[in-house]
Amino acid sequence: MPMSKHVAISPEEAADRLAIRELVEAYAHCADRRDAKGQMALFTTDTHFVVYMNAKDPKPSQELHSREALAPVFADLNQYVATTHFVGQSTIFTLTEDRGSGEAYCLAHHVTVDGGKRRLMIASLRYLDTFVKMDRAWLFQERRLYVDWIEERAPS
């Protein structure tokens, strides 16, 4: 049984779907380039950002309620020598002309160096997102980050 049924969509819906995918990818790009201002600009001013370090725990590890509150979260990436956020599948659950919801998967690679020893931490992430279109641009209105698993190792 197929997971999705392909139907004809309007050029406007196709453009919106592409713009939302580009929004998700821009988030990862800004994270890896340490562009916190660019990353923050992808969110509404009254955004809701929730982190679940253990995806099985219904209690969030962190909850933020504004674009400005995101600054220290994104600055925290500076502790790593390098990161690569590889965005995998993304699904749009609902979509109207100015609102949407979806889910995106990401493998986040974080490299640290301590005393000359390199360590690699890989986190399997899922984002449950609510999108809003403002001034013809899609933004995150809410982003829920779920950490499904983490693996740490010494890179070869």
Side-chain angles (χ1 to χ4, degrees):
M1 212 165 169
M3 292 293 290
S4 66
K5 186 175 183 179
H6 295 280
V7 296
I9 60 175
S10 70
E12 294 80 14
E13 182 178 344
D16 285 338
R17 288 177 175 274
L18 177 60
I20 289 170
R21 177 63 189 204
E22 289 174 342
L23 173 68
V24 169
E25 291 172 350
Y27 177 90
H29 175 83
C30 288
D32 292 338
R33 300 286 71 80
R34 303 303 184 270
D35 180 3
K37 287 183 182 179
Q39 200 169 18
M40 289 169 59
L42 303 173
F43 291 81
T44 61
T45 57
D46 64 343
T47 197
H48 186 218
F49 189 87
V50 187
V51 178
Y52 298 85
M53 288 304 292
N54 177 355
K56 294 177 181 170
D57 186 350
K59 185 175 184 236
S61 310
Q62 187 173 32
E63 191 166 358
L64 306 167
H65 295 280
S66 72
R67 180 190 288 164
E68 290 76 29
L70 298 173
V73 174
F74 298 153
D76 193 47
L77 289 173
N78 291 319
Q79 70 180 298
Y80 301 105
V81 173
T83 59
T84 299
H85 290 76
F86 184 77
V87 178
Q89 71 266 29
S90 61
T91 304
I92 294 177
F93 298 135
T94 62
L95 185 61
T96 65
E97 66 182 40
D98 63 352
R99 293 190 58 79
S101 65
E103 179 179 47
Y105 281 67
C106 177
L107 285 177
H109 301 73
H110 302 80
V111 177
T112 57
V113 177
D114 185 19
K117 292 186 179 184
R118 291 171 52 95
R119 298 287 306 159
L120 173 64
M121 184 267 286
I122 303 170
S124 176
L125 310 177
R126 281 180 300 116
Y127 295 94
L128 290 180
D129 297 317
T130 302
F131 312 105
V132 63
K133 192 175 188 179
M134 301 175 75
D135 299 322
R136 299 185 344 216
W138 286 96
L139 300 171
F140 295 108
Q141 185 173 48
E142 179 177 75
R143 186 148 237 223
R144 293 180 176 267
L145 185 164
Y146 293 87
V147 179
D148 285 325
W149 55 263
I150 292 175
E151 178 182 340
E152 295 191 45
R153 59 182 136 162
S156 55

